[in-house]
Amino acid sequence: KSFLKQQLIVLTTPIIPMNTAIILMNIAITLMNTLKIILRAEVSAMKAVVFTGDRTLELMEVPDPTPGPGEVVLEIKASGMCGSDLHQYRAPRKEKLNIAGHEPCGVVAAVGAGVPEEQVKVGDRVMDHHYSGCGVCKHCREGWSQMCLEGTIVYGGVGDGAHAKYMLVPAH
């Protein structure tokens, strides 16, 4: 949006006639939409269970996750369902939807940059705790990531959970 606003300012200067500016703007928008379609076509997708609120859920198609620095992607083999999931299921409709499920077990499918092989490698069988902290504050270092000073991510709540083929998690 910011890019378009900047271009609109440039294109509406008195040097270029307004009708030419509008034509150029339409060309730019068409090119951007074409690029979005091309990029979307290159992204693999998976099915995921999403609690949409008001005691409803949907099976949605979402992009496969890609690990960034310090992250891994798990191929989910099992995902728990417990009382805390019911809070998300019973909650009022929400705008930001997340993949449901936590307490996952799986196999490491991809490893992001900066994750040492001694820590984790593709093919390792792992389980992931249902929430994550920063990994470096005093509480996280002592194993109390639910008390993280930087805040926690609860999978299936505020972060994407494990009711899908893959799940993105920190390597720590």
Side-chain angles (χ1 to χ4, degrees), residues 107-122:
V107 176
V108 176
V111 178
V115 178
E117 194 172 291
E118 304 80 48
Q119 185 178 5
V120 66
K121 60 187 175 305
V122 172

Side-chain angles (χ1 to χ4, degrees), residues 29-112:
I29 290 170
T30 301
L31 288 172
M32 288 174 56
N33 287 334
T34 302
L35 182 59
K36 284 181 192 174
I37 291 168
I38 291 168
L39 291 175
R40 204 175 307 129
E42 293 177 7
V43 175
S44 299
M46 63 181 176
K47 300 285 186 190
V49 175
V50 176
F51 293 145
T52 56
D54 290 333
R55 298 175 184 261
T56 61
L57 57 89
E58 289 183 33
L59 186 62
M60 296 183 162
E61 193 166 285
V62 298
D64 288 349
T66 303
E71 297 176 325
V72 298
V73 172
L74 306 181
E75 182 177 357
I76 301 302
K77 300 299 182 185
S79 178
M81 183 89 163
C82 69
S84 57
D85 292 296
L86 294 178
H87 295 294
Q88 298 300 318
Y89 175 72
R90 294 175 180 150
R93 285 233 177 247
K94 44 188 178 171
E95 289 181 35
K96 176 155 179 4
L97 300 176
N98 295 95
I99 299 170
H102 62 270
E103 300 168 352
C105 296
V107 176
V108 176
V111 178

